[in-house]
Amino acid sequence: MGGLASVLAPIAFVNETVLRLGRAVGVVAIALMVIAILIQVFFRYVLGNALPWPDEAARFCMLWMTGLMAPTAFRRGGFVAIDMLQRFLPRLLGQSLNLFLLLISLIVLLVAVNIGWSEVTGFGGRFATAALYLPTSFGFDEWYRIPRSWMMASLLVGIILLISVNIELILRSLITMLGGAHLLPEIPEAAVGAE
Amino acid sequence: MLIWFLPTFLVFLLIGLPVFFALLAAPGILLWLNGQTNDITLLYRNVYNGMDSFPLMAIPFFMLAGELMNRGGITIRLVEFSQALMGHLRGGLAHVNVLSSILFAGLSGSAVADTSALGSMLIPAMEKQGYTRKFAAAITAASSVIGPIIPPSGIMIIYAYVMGESVAALFLAGIVPGIMVGVGLMVMIKFMADRYDFPVASRKYTWDERRQASLKAFFPLMTPVIILGGILGGIFTPTEAAAVAVGYAFIIGFFVLRTLTLKEVPEVLSNAGMTSAVVLLLVGAAMAFKTVVSLSHAPEQLASLILSLSENPFILLFLINLLLFIVGMFLDAGPAIIILGPILGPIFTSLGVDPIHFAIIMSVNLTVGLATPPMGLVLFVAAAVSRERVETIAKAILPFLAVEIIVIFLITYIPALSMTIPRITGFAN
């Protein structure tokens, strides 16, 4: 169990740090989404001149917000599940089931990361976004058209973070099964849902 | 063989696999066994394309607007306004609780936000007036389900997106059922108040006092007017209306009422972002799941199975309500809609049920499920807010659930209740 705990500690530290950074970027992303759409509303309805970029920029931010913030929710038990069976099962059986479910999730994520990588680096990712540009000079006279792969990378990054969280949860589950639940650092719970 | 993904999915769900993974694992395994490995890539693409959507952006925006309103001291103004109107009645605070939920529903669209915001304020106040804690928690939980029925509504945005329906039509169709739930609960409170001699909350307010209370609540009460007025008037899309609601809530909380501080904003953004991220991921997975649903011809096979039970739409609607109610007891409304919408929607549409009407039946039924034991989400929130046991609240809520079940059947068998407003306004046929 000591070995597992020493493997868990650095993974938990990395997850904690990276996900905190992810949440910070996610907060900026959701604020930018609102600003982009409000700019669009102002230009379209007040000035009568719709801009080409706000809708796409807002979607760009929303995808990154999702990729960077969903892993925190997963880590905090915020992914919706019917966990009644686990609660009713005897302790060890319930914990084994939990481990089994985490392993299925890991398989899904590993398949997804494989496909995600080929999607981002493949044909679809080579296209450019419709209206997103980055200035590449201080005089704003040179612009780089953002490739679609930058948007697609949001899901890939999200899956990679989910894998990292999943591995941490598997280790926590193993330590709990071996009777070391009291050694585990607490993870705050998240209440999430559209309800 | 592909049809087997549905039982596989159910097994995954029942053993406790998170819905997001179950939505991908079950079809993925079957596609792999079927040798359709290219379609697994299609699943991934559909998750991404499902999330990359402008209409879906309304979800984080409405959540954000609700959070900002709540932090901005708006809840207390709604409660004061409700008290000025109904506090003098017998069972006054219970009526105030329901009316506040109806008004709050026009701002937030979330039953959880309603229970935690109104519950933390009204449950202690009701206890102080002599109501039992279980009753106070039960009426708070029961009335909170109005939140996602009256527009704006997170789950209706999800339904509209997943099923390709009009958000505006669903919003409009939810108004009457939401008010019916509220009025039904008030009738039940009146009945109980007379029987158990509930206290009155306050003296009768003068019209001048009522005018002052309504002035204080004016800005929050304008939110649904801006949202619905903007959408109906063709001024905004629902997503733009939601962004405007965020801007409006921020200006009201920060500049007009001055109850919102800059320090609170990052936490508000973080809460809304994290909640939305999970929902968006789920919707993406649902779009992938939906592809396999159509590939497998499951709706057609299920339709013939259902039609073999009966061909009478009245009986089938009864059975489907029963199924939805049972599902709602175990699963939250959002995921349930995501899972069942693509399967059940086409079946009932082919039976001649209007898609908007069916959407409302499903949304209201599953929303009521949020307050049903054993897994009702708002029951747990009410228990946390009131520090009462879930089992105790679950018993106390039964009379109110009975009212809500009656409303479900009324809107099921009288389509005009939900369809009249969208039809009059030209948003439904």
Side-chain angles (χ1 to χ4, degrees):
Chain A
M1 192 163 60
L4 283 176
S6 59
V7 177
L8 173 69
I11 294 177
F13 175 76
V14 170
N15 280 343
E16 188 68 51
T17 313
V18 174
L19 294 185
R20 191 181 300 136
L21 185 71
R23 287 196 298 278
V25 178
V27 162
V28 175
I30 190 170
L32 289 176
M33 277 161 67
V34 178
I35 293 168
I37 298 300
L38 288 179
I39 288 175
Q40 181 68 304
V41 168
F42 180 76
F43 271 79
R44 182 179 295 164
Y45 302 111
V46 181
L47 303 182
N49 174 26
L51 297 170
W53 59 267
D55 292 2
E56 197 174 26
R59 281 192 289 113
F60 187 98
C61 291
M62 180 171 74
L63 288 167
W64 276 100
M65 177 201 80
T66 305
L68 293 172
M69 292 184 112
T72 297
F74 182 42
R75 190 166 184 260
R76 295 181 180 182
F79 271 29
V80 189
I82 300 175
D83 53 1
M84 268 177 63
L85 183 63
Q86 273 183 63
R87 284 197 225 165
F88 285 122
L89 284 174
R91 198 177 60 90
L92 195 64
L93 213 56
Q95 286 166 354
S96 311
L97 176 62
N98 183 41
L99 184 63
F100 173 67
L101 296 175
L102 283 168
L103 288 172
I104 297 179
S105 310
L106 184 62
I107 294 169
V108 172
L109 290 168
L110 289 174
V111 173
V113 84
N114 193 25
I115 300 172
W117 179 256
S118 44
E119 287 288 296
V120 171
T121 55
F123 182 67
R126 284 185 211 141
F127 290 99
T129 50
L132 296 182
Y133 292 86
L134 264 187
T136 50
S137 71
F138 289 113
F140 292 101
D141 47 2
E142 285 172 38
W143 295 82
Y144 173 69
R145 193 164 178 183
I146 294 177
R148 202 167 162 260
S149 58
W150 288 22
M151 270 172 110
M152 293 163 73
S154 57
L155 183 56
L156 179 64
V157 169
I159 291 166
I160 292 168
L161 294 176
L162 284 171
I163 289 175
S164 182
V165 170
N166 196 297
I167 291 170
E168 183 189 353
L169 295 178
I170 286 174
L171 289 171
R172 287 176 71 93
S173 172
L174 283 170
I175 293 172
T176 307
M177 282 174 79
L178 295 171
H182 60 286
L183 299 172
L184 296 171
E186 204 173 316
I187 297 176
E189 279 193 14
V192 292
E195 295 84 8
Chain B
M1 179 167 179
L2 209 51
I3 191 75
W4 282 100
F5 84 94
L6 272 181
T8 314
F9 170 71
L10 269 181
V11 171
F12 278 150
L13 213 57
L14 291 174
I15 62 173
L17 189 66
V19 179
F20 171 71
F21 295 115
L23 281 168
L24 298 175
I29 289 172
L30 267 294
L31 285 171
W32 181 65
L33 289 175
N34 232 15
Q36 293 170 267
T37 39
N38 282 342
D39 287 334
I40 299 179
T41 307
L42 196 67
L43 274 184
Y44 179 93
R45 280 184 195 153
N46 284 340
V47 174
Y48 175 80
N49 292 330
M51 292 193 309
D52 183 14
S53 140
F54 185 73
L56 268 190
M57 222 179 292
I59 293 175
F61 288 168
F62 278 128
M63 283 180 181
L64 191 52
E67 282 257 354
L68 284 170
M69 297 265 177
N70 205 7
R71 300 288 174 112
I74 283 167
T75 313
I76 193 158
R77 282 171 166 76
L78 293 181
V79 172
E80 281 170 2
F81 174 66
S82 305
Q83 176 139 341
L85 293 183
M86 306 198 79
H88 63 285
L89 300 174
R90 186 155 296 283
L93 268 188
H95 286 297
V96 168
N97 199 324
V98 176
L99 182 59
S100 301
S101 286
I102 295 175
L103 299 175
F104 197 84
L107 313 177
S108 96
S110 154
V112 172
D114 179 305
T115 311
S116 56
L118 293 174
S120 54
M121 198 179 300
L122 284 172
I123 294 172
M126 287 177 77
E127 256 190 292
K128 211 180 275 180
Q129 285 214 347
Y131 294 88
T132 59
R133 188 183 294 183
K134 62 180 178 184
F135 176 84
I139 187 62
T140 305
S143 62
S144 73
V145 302
I146 299 168
I149 302 175
I150 287 181
S153 160
I155 59 165
M156 286 190 192
I157 295 169
I158 294 174
Y159 189 99
Y161 178 62
V162 173
M163 299 300 295
E165 300 297 342
S166 148
V167 175
L170 285 190
F171 275 9
L172 291 169
I175 295 174
V176 173
I179 293 172
M180 281 173 67
V181 172
V183 172
L185 292 175
M186 285 179 179
V187 170
M188 178 54 83
I189 291 168
K190 165 92 177 77
F191 172 75
M192 293 170 91
D194 291 341
R195 192 163 173 183
Y196 301 113
D197 200 22
F198 284 173
V200 292
S202 60
R203 62 179 170 78
K204 193 167 184 175
Y205 280 56
T206 63
W207 282 108
D208 191 48
E209 286 170 324
R210 283 179 179 165
R211 193 179 56 83
Q212 281 176 6
S214 51
L215 278 179
K216 270 186 166 178
F218 174 77
F219 287 114
L221 290 176
M222 281 305 287
T223 314
V225 177
I226 293 172
I227 295 172
L228 278 185
I231 297 172
L232 295 184
I235 305 169
F236 309 130
T237 62
T239 304
E240 288 167 346
V244 170
V246 174
Y248 182 74
F250 184 77
I251 290 169
I252 297 299
F254 197 69
F255 295 107
V256 180
L257 304 178
R258 297 178 184 220
T259 41
L260 185 72
T261 61
L262 269 185
K263 226 163 91 182
E264 288 176 294
V265 174
E267 198 195 332
V268 169
L269 289 170
S270 177
N271 286 347
M274 201 154 50
T275 310
S276 322
V278 176
V279 175
L280 293 172
L281 219 47
L282 260 182
V283 173
M287 297 309 274
F289 185 79
K290 197 180 153 187
T291 318
V292 185
V293 170
S294 0
L295 279 177
S296 69
H297 303 288
E300 290 90 329
Q301 295 189 33
L302 277 173
S304 58
L305 179 78
I306 288 174
L307 285 171
S308 69
L309 298 173
S310 166
E311 285 190 8
N312 184 337
F314 279 81
I315 294 172
L316 291 177
L317 281 171
F318 175 82
L319 293 175
I320 218 64
N321 268 314
L322 206 62
L323 171 76
L324 292 172
F325 196 77
I326 293 168
V327 170
M329 289 164 79
F330 297 95
L331 203 59
D332 295 339
I337 278 175
I338 282 170
I339 296 163
L340 292 175
I343 299 170
L344 298 177
I347 297 174
F348 279 84
T349 309
S350 68
L351 284 171
V353 178
D354 190 285
I356 302 294
H357 182 216
F358 186 71
I360 290 298
I361 295 172
M362 217 172 149
S363 303
V364 175
N365 192 323
L366 290 168
T367 303
V368 169
L370 292 171
T372 54
M375 300 289 283
L377 187 61
V378 295
L379 281 184
F380 287 97
V381 179
V385 173
S386 64
R387 295 201 188 90
E388 182 61 274
R389 292 176 61 217
V390 175
E391 297 86 334
T392 317
I393 304 173
K395 271 186 206 153
I397 207 171
L398 290 176
F400 303 120
L401 280 182
V403 169
E404 287 167 355
I405 291 169
I406 292 170
V407 173
I408 291 172
F409 281 108
L410 283 175
I411 59 167
T412 300
Y413 292 119
I414 312 174
L417 290 173
S418 45
M419 295 303 295
T420 303
I421 298 184
R423 277 181 184 145
I424 287 173
T425 46
F427 281 89
N429 300 318

